[in-house]
Amino acid sequence: MISTVEDYAASLRALRRRVYAMGERIEDITSHPLTRPSFLAVAQTYELARDAQHAHLFLAESPILGSKVNRFTHIHCSTADLVAKVKMLRLLGQVTGCCFQRCVGMDALNALYSVTYDIDVAMGTRYHRRFVDFLQKVQRENLVCGGAMTDPKGDRGLRPSQQTDPDLYLHVVDKNADGMVVRGAKCHQTGTLNAHEIIVMPTAAMGPEEQAYAVSFAVPTDAPGLTYVLGRQPSDTRKLEGWPIDVGSAYGGHEVLVVFQDVFVPWERVFLFGEHQFAGVLVERFAAYHRQSYGGCKVGVGDVIVGAAALAAEIHGVDRASHVRDKLVEMVHLNETMYACGLACSSEGWRTPSGAYMVDVLLANVCKLNVTRLTYEIARLAEDLAGGLLVTMPSQADLEHPEIGPLVRKYLSARVNAETRMRVLRLIEFLTTGPGGAAYRTESMHGAGSPQTQRVMIGRQAQWEKKKELAKRLACIT
């Protein structure tokens, strides 16, 4: 069982995977400067679970094992569990200031728990038992799971079965008595290099002609046939320079393209195989859980941005100006609005037939739609308060240069010395326009589905007829 950060690091180093970054192969993601910050962020999910002050958020009683497990491997058993999840994610955002990459796997586990149960009831299959067996392993060993949903999609005007290249949607290409073989890719995969298992789900609802694409399964991240290509982030090569001020944070996230080149999956790890009627159900439940997650994680990062903006105002001597206070208060207002939505969809959760608890789908989509907007305004206000030096100041190399260093220190000092000022501004830069900004802003827009998908779900959940009847009653219309 993985218990400590050292255990976790050793478990990742034991994996033999094909990982590429900027045209070169990476052997150890726990030490490479491009990937180590993301490893350290995930490591906090283990570290804080061992802290008595935070254990009530990070540990939960599993009815499956009859013992406490890390909440990232837990199946929600009550609305209290759903609320605790949001609070845990906010705390992790505050500690790391970035994406800590275990939410997708947690949300995939919870979606599959209830959906496999429903499939078995409707179709007479045995997926739920398979899934619970897999879940026991994940809980017992305290594994990190990555969730894989988004396919490349190719021509988005065509269905999966209509693509010129069928591999643009992950699909089954062969099967035998022992298992199946899949081919394709998953894009934008958050934190997968830090995971032990990949849980694959379909990317959309599927029709009868797309049974080969209606598939869900789990494979170890070092399964033969898997290749990983690290995605770029703004200013990511600063990590290679080794200047702490310029990097801006000890933590970070990552995304990868995961290519499945005829990967074999044994039947005991298959949780959906052609039952196309349930592909859309799985997508919607996962999406609702993951949209709930944003009401915690992005709020925690927002707390850091608000704090950094307040520090910048104080450093520049404008913290008592009324318009500055108004902007800081607005940042808090927007941040707490997202948090309120995360708590609301959790508190209004409901018990599925499987016994697991599901969030309120309408409120979860309202939560995520707010996140697609409000994070941008919070970041804009932070950049406003930081000033132009945010993107024009010299590097740490200049600060420490024997000749020009004294000049930099002289002319960049404010209420504090130049180095302290630079550290605060580099942090804001990291969180809004650098690698952290990729996770805070762009990922807030497109993660868990882009804004239009939330609008579609809100429209489906809006109960239009009920609302019209309410209006008719008060208008005395029969």
Side-chain angles (χ1 to χ4, degrees):
M1 174 183 175
I2 299 171
S3 179
T4 66
V5 172
E6 291 74 22
D7 294 339
Y8 175 50
S11 71
L12 293 181
R13 287 194 290 266
L15 299 172
R16 295 292 175 260
R17 301 179 292 190
R18 286 168 47 86
V19 179
Y20 291 86
M22 300 177 69
E24 297 182 356
R25 188 163 180 175
I26 296 177
E27 297 297 337
D28 181 7
I29 65 101
T30 69
S31 62
H32 194 284
L34 286 175
T35 53
R36 180 168 172 77
S38 70
F39 155 74
L40 292 174
V42 181
Q44 284 299 310
T45 68
Y46 289 99
E47 186 72 14
L48 291 176
R50 293 169 55 83
D51 186 335
Q53 182 181 355
H54 304 302
H56 67 289
L57 292 179
F58 284 82
L59 300 178
E61 187 71 25
S62 168
I64 296 169
L65 291 188
S67 60
K68 287 190 180 297
V69 298
N70 191 297
R71 191 173 296 279
F72 282 102
T73 71
H74 181 56
I75 302 301
H76 311 304
C77 298
S78 64
T79 56
D81 270 347
L82 292 169
V83 169
K85 169 195 170 183
V86 173
K87 292 183 176 182
M88 174 185 71
L89 300 187
R90 183 172 190 172
L91 175 61
L92 274 164
Q94 294 169 344
V95 170
T96 65
C98 68
C99 175
F100 33 86
Q101 308 152 68
R102 284 187 82 173
C103 304
V104 183
M106 170 176 54
D107 296 335
L109 290 173
N110 276 273
L112 274 166
Y113 187 88
S114 63
V115 173
T116 54
Y117 182 93
D118 292 348
I119 300 172
D120 287 358
V121 170
M123 311 292 288
T125 51
R126 294 180 55 82
Y127 292 130
H128 190 66
R129 182 66 261 169
R130 289 180 185 175
F131 177 75
V132 171
D133 288 344
F134 169 73
L135 178 63
Q136 286 178 329
K137 172 183 172 63
V138 169
Q139 291 187 343
R140 194 165 47 243
E141 299 180 22
N142 198 7
L143 301 179
V144 174
C145 293
M149 178 168 279
T150 306
D151 292 273
K153 296 187 176 74
D155 183 343
R156 299 189 181 207
L158 300 176
R159 297 289 305 169
S161 58
Q162 298 170 332
Q163 297 290 325
T164 303
D165 184 350
D167 296 345
L168 292 175
Y169 283 80
L170 188 143
H171 62 293
V172 178
V173 295
D174 197 8
K175 64 177 182 177
N176 57 38
D178 299 319
M180 66 180 186
V181 178
V182 297
R183 186 183 303 158
K186 293 290 183 178
C187 299
H188 326 305
Q189 297 307 291
T190 300
T192 305
L193 298 182
N194 294 316
H196 306 98
E197 297 276 352
I198 302 177
I199 302 172
V200 174
M201 297 165 286
T203 196
M206 300 292 173
E209 71 282 5
E210 292 155 347
Q211 293 184 21
Y213 300 89
V215 62
S216 178
F217 58 89
V219 290
T221 55
D222 61 351
L226 289 175
T227 300
Y228 304 88
V229 185
L230 187 71
R232 290 299 304 270
Q233 295 175 331
S235 304
D236 55 4
T237 52
R238 288 187 184 180
K239 300 173 186 175
L240 302 175
E241 297 170 5
W243 295 107
I245 289 179
D246 287 343
V247 172
S249 174
Y251 302 108
H254 76 253
E255 286 75 32
V256 289
L257 172 68
V258 186
V259 180
F260 293 74
Q261 296 172 293
D262 292 353
V263 175
F264 176 75
V265 186
W267 290 124
E268 60 266 23
R269 284 172 161 263
V270 176
F271 314 128
L272 178 72
F273 184 73
E275 292 82 8
H276 63 91
Q277 308 94 317
F278 289 90
V281 177
L282 179 55
V283 171
E284 289 183 3
R285 288 196 189 172
F286 167 78
Y289 279 126
H290 205 43
R291 289 164 190 170
Q292 171 216 21
S293 294
Y294 280 68
C297 63
K298 299 307 178 191
V299 176
V301 178
D303 288 329
V304 179
I305 296 176
V306 172
L311 275 175
E314 185 178 291
I315 285 169
H316 295 153
V318 297
D319 49 308
R320 295 189 178 183
S322 60
H323 69 283
V324 170
R325 298 302 302 174
D326 283 347
K327 289 171 184 176
L328 289 170
V329 168
E330 178 64 5
M331 292 172 75
V332 173
H333 159 235
L334 297 174
N335 206 44
E336 298 301 331
T337 296
M338 295 188 291
Y339 186 53
C341 288
L343 293 179
C345 69
S346 303
S347 299
E348 292 293 306
W350 52 280
R351 189 181 188 275
T352 68
S354 70
Y357 271 69
M358 181 69 193
V359 295
D360 182 284
V361 176
L362 172 60
L363 294 178
N365 279 274
V366 170
C367 177
K368 176 54 171 55
L369 189 57
N370 272 322
V371 170
T372 67
R373 297 175 177 178
L374 305 190
T375 53
Y376 281 77
E377 181 62 8
I378 291 170
R380 187 190 71 81
L381 289 168
E383 292 170 354
D384 179 354
L385 293 170
L389 192 60
L390 181 71
V391 291
T392 66
M393 65 179 152
S395 71
Q396 186 175 347
D398 298 312
L399 180 71
E400 298 184 1
H401 192 276
E403 293 183 25
I404 60 175
L407 298 176
V408 173
R409 293 180 184 276
K410 173 182 174 67
Y411 289 108
L412 293 192
S413 62
R415 279 185 172 177
V416 296
N417 62 47
E419 179 175 342
T420 299
R421 185 185 188 191
M422 290 173 69
R423 285 185 177 275
V424 172
L425 293 181
R426 284 295 186 217
L427 176 60
I428 295 175
E429 181 197 39
F430 172 84
L431 292 169
T432 59
T433 60
Y440 185 66
R441 292 214 267 196
T442 309
E443 201 263 342
S444 288
M445 177 72 74
H446 293 291
S450 300
Q452 189 57 30
T453 62
Q454 283 108 65
R455 293 182 181 277
V456 168
M457 288 304 299
I458 290 170
R460 290 179 185 173
Q461 298 287 323
Q463 297 183 317
W464 300 107
E465 294 307 315
K466 179 179 179 180
K467 288 176 170 57
K468 285 189 283 187
E469 287 301 321
L470 294 173
K472 286 180 181 180
R473 182 176 63 82
L474 287 175
C476 300
I477 298 173
T478 58

